[in-house]
Amino acid sequence: MENEIKRLEEEFQKDFQEIKSSKDLEALRIKYLGRKSAFMQLFSRIPTLAKEEKGIWGKKLNTFKNKITSLLESKAGQGENNEEKIDLTAPSVSREEGSRHVLSTVSKEICSIFERLGFITIEGKEIEEEWYNFEALNIPSEHPSREDFDTFYLDIGEKDKGKYLLRSHTSPSQIRVMKESKPPLAVISPGRVYRPDEVDATHSFMFHQIEGFAVAKDMNFAHLKGVLLHFVREFFSTGVELRFRPHFFPFTEPSVEVDISCFICKNKKVEDSKKKCSVCKGKGWLEILGCGMIHPKVLKACGIDFKKYKGFAFGMGVERIAMLKYGINDIRLFYENDVRFLKQFSL
Amino acid sequence: MRFSLNFIQEFLRVDVSPKELASLLTMAGMEVECLEKQATDWIFDIEVTTNRYDWLSMLGIAREIAVVLGKKLKVDYPSPVKKPSLSTRDIVIEDKRDCPYYIGRRIEGIKVSSPKSWLQERILNCGLTSVNDIVDITNYSMLKWGNPLHAFDADRLEGNIYIRRAKKNELLVGIDGKERILTKENLVISDSKKVIALAGIIGGKNTEVTETTKNIFLEAAVFSPLTVRRSRRAAGLDTESSYRFERVVPSHLLEYASYEAAKLITEVSGGKNKGYKVAGKKPQLEKKSIMISLNSLSNYLGLVPLKSKVKKILQNLDFKVKDLSKDKMIVSPSRSRFDVKREVDVYEEFSRIYGYDKIPSEIPFLKRNLAISDQTAQYYFKGELANFVALLGFKEIITYSLEEKEQLKIEDNGVIELINPLRSQENALRSNLFFGMAKSLKYNLNRASMGTGNRGDLHLFEIADIYSKTSKGFSETSTLALSISGKKRDFFFLKGAIEKILNFLNLDNFEFKEEALNNFTNSLRINVGNCNLGFLGKLNQQQKNNFDLKEDLFFAQLDLSSVVKNRGQKKYKSFSSFPAIWRDISISVKKSIKFKEIEKIIKADNRYLASLAIIDIYEGKDIPQGHRAFTLRIFYQSGERTLTSNEVDCFHNQIRESLNKQEDLSLR
């Protein structure tokens, strides 16, 4: 047995000198330590030996095995040196990741900010009844205020002609929730809305809005301001300020339009046309949403006692907010789905 | 609406810079969209919201400016002369609901000439066109007081003046030269023989004031907003006059407007006031008294203002304020403020002048009714699903919900059409998500936007609603669509994605069933029991040509409401801790035999069969014509112990034997 081990070792040393690649190395390992190797055959003879010999030969064989193993391992790193060199400047293999649409991520981000304040998100339907889209929101038919809301009407059946429409804003979601559930309420509602506008760089007949509202006994305008200020600071940047400009919406009283201080030029109202901020056009302010205290008539239409309860509501266009945040200059980009656009906003 | 600063100064001295004024007005709710200098004048272009009818006149705007400047507006109202009475003709109102009040004045012996420069400047700077001095004076008066007037050539009038509904098919050629066929929707002014004006909208060519006009009949009236609105819609035009009538005109100023215009005409064009006649009655403006409470105001705004401050602001707005108690006041808004009706309207008036920036910002502790919490499920479900599909390498797209009905109707006869579409390309609500997907794909292929890096593979998805008429009315259903295209991808890649998605949703018992579908070859239905979840398939050649697609397109659609109904709970499934052993098997099978049948034979005894994978599918050399060869790898495993080689060989041989017994199948 002694001789056999010695012969094996000599043979191995010879073969070992000739190793050129990691492939050779592996072949050597199999030849000397593999299942059918001479070494394993020696090993399998141990059980047949006398008791005191078992230990001795077992040890010797293990020493042999360890020696070979460590030699092989020592060569393993060097083996690489013999590998063919490749051109590492060649382009990488492109991996196409999946992605969410930027309007989805922006919409989700906005909803999440309000959710953390205690709002919950409920979606409405896009096919809406005229009453929910208009009358309940204090926009009577034949009233000039309705002209601000051009609307697509749907042909669903002779009987219901003119009853169904594609919602022109997400406010009907507010009506549906208020009508079906008792206050206190704090709800945010995102979704698609439709208006017959010709498509150009800033208009689209389909776009996305987010409506939010809260109704409780002690709700007031200061709360509306606080909630919105928290939102813009979390969404845009911690330093932004809000400006509340009086406006008119039939469904809120008071009604206000809200501007944020331009987060690009930091509200520097530069008038020099060359140095003017391209985002706010030197005005220093950017209009981002409309809001107000819910009109008592709206509460009443939903069966809520307006003497007991008060509420605020706000609504914003998701496209506009995404355009401001990412400097997107054409609304059509959202619906063309050019992969070069999509892949810039992966998740 | 445009106004001129010089015109405003007829009412009020403005002692701040135009820029400063613009900013003050904007912050009080009169948004100045554009400000420009015009010679010695400044032009303000403002947005007039639909509640502020009073801003449609210089007087109304001047009142607002006075408020923001903290000044008191003093107006020198003219003292109308109502003599001599007009005796030559009657004014007859058919229905007082259409026209409650009408003032006619006759002016004789005028000479029409081109307008004076001061008059022209007022008209042009407010965005109107200058015609001649008579027309310009009526427009000047409208701009100043808010009441549109109209001057007729009195010599071309025959008999009395009637304010009545048009008879069917009566005609009027307007001063714009257009002939209109009238209906009962139209309120008209007529003389005894002919229609001479569309009331409150446009005058007739037949009685127009021209250079040769010597005597005029000057109309000042109040017409019903709704009547004017319907009439101008039926006639298909919109004028400065109708715009004001539709929004309520200040009837309490009508006498001033009529008298001042007549006076100006005599001053500018000569002539004498020769007759005055009224029909109907000046509408009584209801006196509004609104009780407000300082306490409620504070609770509404979240701010505790001084009572004196509240009173001062309201009084500046020309509202009368009377104290009732320490807390309560009675507020009577000015007559021109038709929009202020309720407590909250008064709160708004106070807060917009006080300044919203002075109201504190506070985050409320939000309470909410527990019952609404279960309505959120749909939203969160769609978000989770979309994230998972993106994880599988698909890119989310958003496409229009509107499509061309002709295209949709091939598929579905429940298509919902729009009554008033913008264009024929978007005249119906889509009943599937396919066309939007195909258009996006084509858009990208045409622009080679995928670049060279990814061999043109494109994996897209959309989650959106589809719409359809049903026996009960209509349906709007959340739907997921997936598509893949490109050289490296095939049907089974998409099928795999569907399986992954349904597994993700813990929907384990679904089945694919072959079914021929329009527009697709090789299509499968996806079912759970009797419930149809959706389909997948390869776009057929005809549709590929239709969209001019060169690559194959695989498309799938899942009805999310059915998916939600059938989804299960996620639950941990234990797995074996003993090693699996595999054996390969190669078979040659006639093509008519489906893989599913082979799978069934192999899985007949599934005691130790852990899984089955296809390693290779091969056709060609060495394989009989009409056959294909599979190399399958079968994994054996037990949950209780390590299987021995012998056991596995034994199971494997059983499978080999049962496969060997099949016709048209041979072991290789």
Side-chain angles (χ1 to χ4, degrees):
Chain A
M1 211 155 179
E2 178 98 53
N3 287 340
E4 287 173 78
I5 298 177
K6 213 169 192 172
R7 197 169 46 80
L8 267 179
E9 203 172 336
E10 278 163 12
E11 235 175 83
F12 174 80
Q13 288 294 355
K14 222 172 114 200
D15 284 347
F16 189 67
Q17 297 308 320
E18 274 156 36
I19 287 175
K20 287 205 175 63
S21 66
S22 55
K23 221 175 181 177
D24 294 349
L25 202 65
E26 179 60 12
L28 212 62
R29 193 189 64 78
I30 290 168
K31 183 176 172 191
Y32 289 94
L33 296 176
R35 266 196 292 174
K36 291 169 185 165
S37 64
F39 171 79
M40 286 306 280
Q41 279 166 24
L42 285 178
F43 218 91
S44 64
R45 269 159 52 191
I46 286 179
T48 65
L49 297 174
K51 201 179 174 188
E52 58 273 22
E53 289 203 314
K54 275 185 188 169
I56 300 168
W57 287 109
K59 249 185 199 158
K60 284 195 173 173
L61 281 170
N62 268 328
T63 316
F64 172 71
K65 185 185 172 186
N66 291 340
K67 196 173 171 186
I68 291 180
T69 311
S70 67
L71 276 171
L72 287 172
E73 275 172 4
S74 72
K75 201 80 178 181
Q78 297 165 25
E80 296 303 316
N81 294 339
N82 299 327
E83 290 258 335
E84 188 193 345
K85 287 290 267 180
I86 55 167
D87 175 7
L88 300 176
T89 66
S92 52
V93 175
S94 146
R95 296 196 49 120
E96 277 303 298
E97 75 281 22
S99 59
R100 296 294 308 276
H101 194 282
V102 62
L103 292 176
S104 300
T105 44
V106 165
S107 180
K108 193 184 161 206
E109 196 184 340
I110 294 171
C111 291
S112 307
I113 292 171
F114 288 106
E115 283 166 8
R116 289 194 286 276
L117 287 178
F119 288 82
I120 63 169
T121 307
I122 299 178
E123 285 183 312
K125 287 285 182 193
E126 294 163 28
I127 297 181
E128 195 44 277
E129 289 174 35
E130 190 172 44
W131 189 85
Y132 288 89
N133 197 69
F134 289 127
E135 273 86 355
L137 287 157
N138 192 27
I139 313 168
S141 82
E142 303 275 14
H143 194 269
S145 61
R146 208 178 254 207
E147 273 168 23
D148 297 340
F149 299 89
D150 279 344
T151 310
F152 285 122
Y153 282 86
L154 299 174
D155 181 6
I156 282 180
E158 264 319 302
K159 192 175 63 127
D160 294 324
K161 209 140 200 165
K163 181 179 173 190
Y164 292 105
L165 44 78
L166 279 173
R167 63 177 175 186
S168 51
H169 46 183
T170 39
S171 305
S173 307
Q174 178 193 331
I175 300 299
R176 291 207 171 257
V177 174
M178 290 203 300
K179 216 166 165 277
E180 280 149 32
S181 312
K182 288 198 163 61
L185 299 166
V187 172
I188 192 106
S189 188
R192 295 184 179 206
V193 301
Y194 305 84
R195 286 183 199 174
D197 281 332
E198 298 280 353
V199 174
D200 63 22
T202 52
H203 293 88
S204 172
F205 58 80
M206 178 184 99
F207 56 103
H208 295 73
Q209 272 191 344
I210 292 180
E211 175 90 3
F213 72 97
V215 180
K217 282 180 181 155
D218 58 354
M219 213 49 77
N220 63 40
F221 196 91
H223 294 142
L224 171 62
K225 282 188 72 176
V227 163
L228 293 180
L229 192 60
H230 170 82
F231 160 65
V232 294
R233 289 193 171 166
E234 196 158 321
F235 187 83
F236 289 105
S237 130
T238 46
V240 299
E241 291 297 336
L242 285 184
R243 185 172 84 160
F244 287 74
R245 261 184 304 109
H247 196 69
F248 171 71
F249 305 112
F251 30 81
T252 46
E253 190 75 31
S255 301
V256 175
E257 265 182 348
V258 180
D259 304 331
I260 66 168
S261 56
C262 179
F263 52 92
I264 302 295
C265 69
K266 307 273 181 262
N267 199 242
K268 282 190 202 97
K269 294 165 195 146
V270 178
E271 282 185 17
D272 179 348
S273 59
K274 278 178 206 145
K275 292 180 202 152
K276 233 185 221 180
C277 170
S278 64
V279 176
C280 68
K281 315 258 178 326
K283 286 181 185 158
W285 296 99
L286 298 161
E287 185 185 327
I288 55 153
L289 57 84
C291 66
M293 296 294 288
I294 301 172
H295 198 288
K297 278 191 180 174
V298 175
L299 292 173
K300 197 177 165 207
C302 298
I304 294 174
D305 182 352
F306 64 84
K307 292 211 169 81
K308 258 202 209 143
Y309 288 98
K310 287 173 290 172
F312 62 75
F314 54 86
M316 60 188 106
V318 182
E319 279 81 353
R320 172 155 180 87
I321 292 199
M323 286 167 97
L324 287 177
K325 181 152 181 171
Y326 296 110
I328 298 166
N329 56 5
D330 192 322
I331 200 169
R332 288 169 289 202
L333 284 165
F334 293 116
Y335 319 109
E336 278 166 358
N337 301 303
D338 192 310
V339 170
R340 291 165 296 184
F341 178 78
L342 299 178
K343 69 190 343 173
Q344 293 183 35
F345 309 96
S346 49
L347 270 180
Chain B
M1 158 112 188
R2 284 150 66 99
F3 75 80
S4 119
L5 191 58
N6 287 350
F7 204 159
I8 292 298
Q9 310 235 33
E10 287 185 22
F11 285 109
L12 178 79
R13 229 180 70 79
V14 175
D15 43 19
V16 295
S17 75
K19 253 192 96 180
E20 206 174 318
L21 180 63
S23 141
L24 284 170
L25 289 174
T26 295
M27 289 316 291
M30 183 190 285
E31 191 180 351
V32 179
E33 286 169 337
C34 184
L35 173 66
E36 61 179 304
K37 194 165 163 50
Q38 188 79 264
T40 59
D41 202 358
W42 283 87
I43 315 298
F44 291 67
D45 200 344
I46 58 165
E47 187 196 348
V48 177
T49 51
T50 47
N51 59 327
R52 294 307 299 265
Y53 318 127
D54 57 313
W55 289 349
L56 295 172
S57 70
M58 295 304 129
L59 174 60
I61 293 167
R63 182 162 283 127
E64 193 67 32
I65 291 173
V67 173
V68 300
L69 296 180
K71 289 188 166 191
K72 189 102 184 118
L73 181 72
K74 269 190 62 113
V75 185
D76 292 324
Y77 292 110
S79 315
V81 176
K82 301 179 179 177
K83 276 174 195 160
S85 165
L86 182 69
S87 55
T88 48
R89 47 179 124 248
D90 263 341
I91 300 171
V92 184
I93 299 173
E94 182 187 70
D95 189 337
K96 295 261 163 45
R97 284 171 301 185
D98 283 338
C99 173
Y101 190 34
Y102 192 105
I103 303 170
R105 283 179 184 272
R106 183 180 164 84
I107 302 157
E108 287 178 9
I110 58 151
K111 192 177 174 312
V112 180
S113 52
S114 48
K116 305 287 168 288
S117 63
W118 71 266
L119 185 58
Q120 201 169 22
E121 188 192 303
R122 294 278 186 269
I123 300 296
L124 295 177
N125 287 357
C126 290
L128 305 189
T129 37
S130 168
V131 183
N132 56 44
D133 53 5
I134 305 297
V135 174
D136 283 8
I137 285 169
T138 60
N139 280 335
Y140 168 84
S141 187
M142 171 181 81
L143 288 168
K144 185 169 176 180
W145 303 104
N147 285 296
L149 308 179
H150 185 69
F152 298 94
D153 185 331
D155 297 330
R156 289 152 84 182
L157 297 178
E158 302 162 277
N160 294 329
I161 298 290
Y162 298 91
I163 298 100
R164 61 168 173 87
R165 290 295 179 113
K167 298 183 186 94
K168 209 177 165 195
N169 296 331
E170 268 187 310
L171 293 177
L172 176 72
V173 178
I175 54 170
D176 59 355
K178 284 193 188 128
E179 183 183 84
R180 293 184 175 82
I181 303 165
L182 308 178
T183 69
K184 271 186 71 186
E185 286 281 317
N186 299 114
L187 183 71
V188 297
I189 315 295
S190 77
D191 62 18
S192 302
K193 300 227 167 113
K194 60 188 181 288
V195 177
I196 56 171
L198 262 178
I201 303 170
I202 194 168
K205 193 99 194 152
N206 52 13
T207 50
E208 185 184 17
V209 173
T210 64
E211 285 131 54
T212 57
T213 301
K214 292 190 175 56
N215 305 311
I216 59 172
F217 179 77
L218 183 66
E219 164 194 289
V222 176
F223 300 113
S224 144
L226 193 55
T227 307
V228 172
R229 183 184 169 77
R230 287 180 174 160
S231 170
R232 73 107 178 129
R233 232 194 283 158
L237 84 165
D238 198 350
T239 62
E240 288 284 336
S241 169
S242 67
Y243 191 80
R244 286 175 173 77
F245 278 117
E246 261 183 69
R247 286 164 173 76
V248 184
V249 293
S251 54
H252 58 290
L253 303 174
L254 195 66
E255 282 286 3
Y256 304 141
S258 164
Y259 171 69
E260 196 189 64
K263 189 162 161 269
L264 266 176
I265 289 171
T266 57
E267 282 167 17
V268 167
S269 317
K272 280 211 157 65
N273 268 306
K274 286 287 187 176
Y276 167 92
K277 186 165 250 173
V278 170
K281 262 208 312 237
K282 182 161 130 183
Q284 284 301 306
L285 292 177
E286 91 186 270
K287 267 216 171 142
K288 280 167 297 184
S289 299
I290 306 165
M291 188 168 78
I292 66 158
S293 135
L294 207 59
N295 195 29
S296 312
L297 172 73
S298 306
N299 289 338
Y300 205 74
L301 298 177
L303 162 93
V304 186
L306 291 173
K307 190 175 184 183
S308 57
K309 186 80 196 164
V310 176
K311 276 173 81 171
K312 185 157 182 265
I313 285 175
L314 296 179
Q315 281 161 346
N316 256 352
L317 283 161
D318 204 17
F319 293 8
K320 293 200 168 54
V321 185
K322 213 173 90 190
D323 278 321
L324 268 191
S325 66
K326 220 175 144 192
D327 179 51
K328 291 192 165 59
M329 289 170 268
I330 298 277
V331 177
S332 309
S334 75
R335 281 192 292 178
S336 54
R337 294 298 305 274
F338 313 107
D339 59 311
V340 180
K341 293 172 191 151
R342 301 167 155 262
E343 270 175 273
V344 289
D345 300 330
V346 179
Y347 299 165
E348 173 171 63
E349 287 307 302
F350 164 75
S351 45
R352 76 181 176 90
I353 302 299
Y354 184 75
Y356 290 109
D357 55 330
K358 298 199 188 80
I359 297 178
S361 298
E362 203 181 296
I363 297 218
F365 176 71
L366 290 173
K367 295 178 205 142
R368 61 172 197 252
N369 179 349
L370 203 60
I372 57 172
S373 301
D374 50 2
Q375 294 175 40
T376 61
Q378 171 86 354
Y379 170 76
Y380 293 113
F381 165 72
K382 286 197 286 188
E384 261 174 65
L385 178 62
N387 282 346
F388 183 77
V389 178
L391 220 59
L392 292 177
F394 289 81
K395 289 186 166 65
E396 187 183 19
I397 58 171
I398 292 182
T399 65
Y400 295 125
S401 315
L402 304 181
E403 293 278 355
E404 196 171 351
K405 71 178 174 210
E406 280 69 27
Q407 197 164 35
L408 293 167
K409 276 190 165 171
I410 302 169
E411 285 300 295
D412 189 341
N413 44 24
V415 173
I416 299 173
E417 292 176 34
L418 301 189
I419 291 172
N420 56 336
L422 208 54
R423 310 190 300 167
S424 61
Q425 291 99 305
E426 293 109 12
N427 58 3
L429 283 176
R430 61 177 167 182
S431 49
N432 64 61
L433 297 181
F434 172 71
F435 296 104
M437 188 68 87
K439 279 182 211 158
S440 297
L441 186 71
K442 201 186 151 194
Y443 180 94
N444 280 296
L445 291 172
N446 285 351
R447 279 163 186 74
S449 56
M450 290 93 88
T452 51
N454 59 355
R455 306 172 305 267
D457 285 349
L458 201 54
H459 304 178
L460 302 176
F461 80 101
E462 178 168 22
I463 293 180
D465 288 358
I466 57 174
Y467 324 79
S468 199
K469 281 189 204 170
T470 64
S471 54
K472 281 183 211 136
F474 65 91
S475 69
E476 179 181 337
T477 320
S478 280
T479 305
L480 165 70
L482 298 167
S483 82
I484 58 171
S485 72
K487 292 193 179 69
K488 292 269 176 163
R489 299 302 181 203
D490 66 7
F491 183 88
F492 299 100
F493 186 87
L494 183 60
K495 190 181 171 191
I498 297 280
E499 285 170 350
K500 281 260 184 275
I501 289 165
L502 294 175
N503 285 333
F504 167 72
L505 299 170
N506 310 303
L507 211 152
D508 301 326
N509 50 342
F510 63 89
E511 288 172 334
F512 292 112
K513 200 175 150 231
E514 266 183 71
E515 188 178 320
L517 295 171
N518 281 345
N519 301 332
F520 296 96
T521 56
N522 286 327
S523 47
L524 289 178
R525 279 271 177 213
I526 310 157
N527 294 326
V528 172
N530 292 327
C531 180
N532 171 25
L533 301 182
F535 66 91
L536 70 157
K538 178 181 171 183
L539 193 66
N540 68 18
Q541 196 56 46
Q542 194 195 335
Q543 282 292 342
K544 264 174 76 175
N545 294 345
N546 203 1
F547 283 96
D548 198 19
L549 296 174
K550 285 180 191 69
E551 311 279 341
D552 282 338
L553 169 64
F554 303 94
F555 177 81
Q557 192 171 290
L558 281 178
D559 172 342
L560 295 183
S561 64
S562 303
V563 167
V564 167
K565 260 182 248 156
N566 288 288
R567 79 181 284 204
Q569 283 286 335
K570 193 176 284 299
K571 220 174 164 197
Y572 165 71
K573 293 182 189 106
S574 64
F575 42 86
S576 172
S577 51
F578 299 96
I581 297 173
W582 82 76
R583 295 285 183 271
D584 289 350
I585 192 166
S586 286
I587 51 174
S588 157
V589 190
K590 205 171 176 186
K591 277 185 179 172
S592 59
I593 297 183
K594 303 236 185 247
F595 182 77
K596 205 173 174 184
E597 295 167 41
I598 303 167
E599 194 182 12
K600 214 168 134 190
I601 296 165
I602 294 172
K603 287 186 173 170
D605 178 358
N606 64 359
R607 273 176 301 169
Y608 297 110
L609 199 146
S611 64
L612 170 67
I614 297 180
I615 297 190
D616 189 32
I617 302 178
Y618 174 71
E619 272 176 56
K621 222 179 126 198
D622 300 339
I623 306 295
Q625 192 74 36
H627 282 61
R628 51 184 177 160
F630 289 103
T631 302
L632 307 173
R633 181 162 290 177
I634 305 171
F635 291 82
Y636 298 92
Q637 194 173 30
S638 155
E640 288 114 33
R641 61 193 168 84
T642 305
L643 297 177
T644 67
S645 242
N646 282 344
E647 276 179 298
V648 171
D649 288 339
C650 182
F651 300 134
H652 195 64
N653 275 331
Q654 276 171 18
I655 290 177
R656 287 177 66 93
E657 272 165 37
S658 37
L659 283 173
N660 212 8
K661 275 185 221 151
Q662 298 298 312
E663 266 180 57
D664 302 322
L665 187 156
S666 55
L667 299 174
R668 297 179 68 223

